[in-house]
Amino acid sequence: MNTQDEDRFIRIAKGPIETPVYLLDETLIERNMKVLRSVKERTGCKIFHALKAYASFATFPMMSGYLDGVCASGLHEARLGHEEFKKEVHTFSAAYRDTEFRTILKYSDSVIFNSFYQLQKFGKTARKSGVEIGLRVNPGYSEVETEIYNPCAPYSRLGIVHSLFRQEFPRHRGIVNGLHFHAMCQQNADVLERILKSFERRYGQYIKGLTWVNFGGGHHITRDDYDRELLIRLINDFKNNYGVQVYLEPGEASVHNAGVLISSVLDIVKNRKEIAIMDTSAETHMPDVLLMPYRPHILGSGIKNEKKYRYRLAGPSCLAGDVIGDYSFDKPLKRGDRLIFTDMALYSIVKNTTFNGINLPDIAVLRAGGKVEVVRRFGYKDYRNRQS
Ligand SMILES: *Cc1c(COP(=O)(O)O)cnc(C)c1O
């Protein structure tokens, strides 16, 4: 985000908008879409948006003009993609349920299986419905340091390991259209290059005759320091070597730095430090803050002791650990002040909860023309309907 983008958010936060609110900036999402489209144009690859990261369909009509479709992780995402994005849907599930599989086929252009058992059980039904079939493999290499985000960690269930693949694949190759791997998280193209080396060493000999290879997500393509030239070269080399279509399915990259969470200070209490209690909660509205964990940036703030006025920011829930982080500011915070948490479009709305009965933030879209449209407001029923 440049200062002009920041000023736009600051102006809106000072206006009549109610808090807490996730504010999605359609212009910034479109900026990301243009970057993704440029990769498509220079490689001929297909790019699918991963609904897991962001599924706010209020911006899908714009996004679907740039991308080839979505990738889904099961029935509900496949249906949302089919009905709201209205282009291709590619579904991967670690395991499918009997009761859902046929409906998933209705919404999907390809289904990706995570084991030969799943392929044997569902493959023929998929083939008869004209849905393409892929296998997810473990590429045998990754550089994701946080264990829970590492699909190649020891004992990972995600992707068939090479020792099993080479025994079983020859018997099944006739029914398989493509291979899929996903082994990255917020990473640059140099990591992809090393993963591809490992993937090709293990699976390269099986690719001839397939239609596509899906390089998964975790490519931080729209980040300023991302090496897009390297990505483009890797895709083009791969296509030339193997004669297959390449798919990418980034989630974060689609909406990276393209939305904020605006929140108000409800109270300021004191216990050795000044603690600002916000109308938003780490636990319920930005769960990755506690899970990753990470400290979200706030416009105009400094790190813990950088600026003169220092606060711990925390949520209104009863969870002792519902702490967003320690921040400092040039001016003292006052009750009623509004703070703008940046990069809050991804893995936030899709993951939030109504724990402790805390209401969900509004979802608003800043349209390209400058109009702020509140596209969803939540209430008591959303909490109640999840309890029984
Ligand atoms: C999570 C996931 C993605 C998207 O990952 P990002 O880190 O959001 O780019 C894509 N494909 C699969 C299979 C995933 O699990």
Side-chain angles (χ1 to χ4, degrees):
M1 272 200 304
N2 55 40
T3 48
Q4 213 180 338
D5 301 327
E6 293 185 4
D7 288 347
R8 209 165 47 233
F9 287 130
I10 292 167
R11 218 168 36 242
I12 292 168
K14 283 187 175 148
I17 196 166
E18 285 187 35
T19 68
V21 56
Y22 299 105
L23 179 63
L24 310 168
D25 188 324
E26 199 163 40
T27 310
L28 295 180
I29 299 175
E30 190 158 14
R31 210 180 282 171
N32 289 341
M33 291 295 110
K34 286 180 176 156
V35 171
L36 297 180
R37 184 178 63 185
S38 74
V39 172
K40 274 162 48 71
E41 284 169 351
R42 291 184 53 200
T43 61
C45 78
K46 286 191 176 186
I47 300 188
F48 309 112
H49 167 68
L51 290 177
K52 188 181 72 186
Y54 174 87
S56 297
F57 50 88
T59 62
F60 284 3
M62 178 276 291
M63 292 168 72
S64 66
Y66 290 91
L67 304 183
D68 297 283
V70 301
C71 81
S73 312
L75 177 57
H76 289 174
E77 286 189 352
R79 178 173 172 180
L80 190 81
H82 177 81
E83 292 182 353
E84 305 292 342
F85 210 92
K86 299 184 166 75
K87 290 181 99 172
E88 290 180 41
V89 175
H90 297 268
T91 307
F92 161 79
S93 219
Y96 293 95
R97 305 174 60 174
D98 291 329
T99 50
E100 294 181 349
F101 191 71
R102 273 177 193 280
T103 326
I104 287 174
L105 288 178
K106 226 174 65 185
Y107 298 125
S108 303
D109 295 278
S110 84
V111 285
I112 296 159
F113 297 112
N114 193 45
S115 73
F116 286 101
Y117 173 79
Q118 295 275 305
L119 174 65
Q120 240 158 341
K121 183 164 176 193
F122 295 116
K124 283 208 182 78
T125 317
R127 172 51 69 91
K128 270 193 221 131
S129 318
V131 174
E132 295 210 348
I133 291 171
L135 286 176
R136 176 166 177 174
V137 298
N138 182 327
Y141 181 84
S142 71
E143 297 182 18
V144 182
E145 272 150 31
T146 317
E147 197 90 327
I148 71 162
Y149 295 111
N150 184 2
C152 298
Y155 312 114
S156 170
R157 73 192 180 291
L158 300 169
I160 300 165
V161 293
H162 178 244
S163 54
L164 288 173
F165 184 89
R166 54 191 257 254
Q167 286 173 23
E168 294 282 327
F169 184 70
R171 292 201 284 124
H172 298 280
R173 68 175 314 140
I175 198 175
V176 176
N177 303 97
L179 295 184
H180 173 282
F181 68 82
H182 169 72
M184 288 166 60
C185 181
Q186 303 181 329
Q187 284 165 320
N188 213 317
D190 61 320
V191 178
L192 175 64
E193 183 169 34
R194 292 189 283 275
I195 292 172
L196 276 174
K197 274 210 183 85
S198 171
F199 171 78
E200 291 183 60
R201 201 166 55 242
R202 289 172 170 78
Y203 304 99
Q205 60 174 299
Y206 307 102
I207 296 173
K208 281 257 153 60
L210 298 179
T211 316
W212 47 264
V213 172
N214 186 326
F215 291 2
H219 315 273
H220 238 189
I221 302 170
T222 52
R223 199 173 72 195
D224 288 340
D225 66 342
Y226 185 88
D227 188 350
R228 288 193 283 276
E229 294 304 318
L230 176 57
L231 173 69
I232 287 163
R233 182 166 66 70
L234 292 172
I235 296 172
N236 284 332
D237 286 353
F238 195 91
K239 286 180 61 172
N240 291 337
N241 287 341
Y242 298 101
V244 289
Q245 174 71 260
V246 169
Y247 296 169
L248 302 180
E249 43 183 37
E252 283 213 25
S254 300
V255 291
H256 176 62
N257 257 330
V260 297
L261 173 56
I262 306 174
S263 167
S264 300
V265 178
L266 295 177
D267 199 1
I268 297 170
V269 298
K270 209 165 172 185
N271 179 358
R272 293 166 69 195
K273 285 175 189 262
E274 304 249 32
I275 304 148
I277 301 172
M278 309 300 298
D279 65 1
T280 193
S281 147
E283 169 70 15
T284 64
H285 301 158
M286 28 185 155
D288 273 356
V289 165
L290 302 182
L291 197 64
M292 277 289 259
Y294 81 104
R295 176 184 170 283
H297 179 59
I298 296 175
L299 289 186
S301 75
I303 56 171
K304 197 170 174 178
N305 294 327
E306 183 183 341
K307 297 183 183 236
K308 186 158 173 215
Y309 300 96
R310 296 158 187 179
Y311 300 86
R312 168 161 293 186
L313 301 188
S317 77
C318 292
L319 175 76
D322 190 358
V323 170
I324 302 160
D326 293 324
Y327 297 82
S328 62
F329 300 90
D330 291 323
K331 286 192 297 190
L333 285 186
K334 303 185 308 298
R335 296 173 181 89
D337 278 355
R338 285 163 168 209
L339 298 180
I340 301 168
F341 295 90
T342 63
D343 204 13
M344 278 293 163
L346 50 93
Y347 292 105
S348 55
I349 302 171
V350 287
K351 293 186 90 171
N352 59 19
T353 73
T354 58
F355 170 67
N356 222 183
I358 292 176
N359 197 26
L360 295 168
D362 289 347
I363 301 173
V365 179
L366 173 55
R367 298 293 184 191
K371 191 168 155 272
V372 176
E373 193 184 324
V374 176
V375 292
R376 187 69 64 194
R377 177 157 285 164
F378 301 91
Y380 173 64
K381 278 194 180 142
D382 297 293
Y383 165 65
R384 182 180 186 275
N385 287 345
R386 294 177 55 160
Q387 312 313 319
S388 56

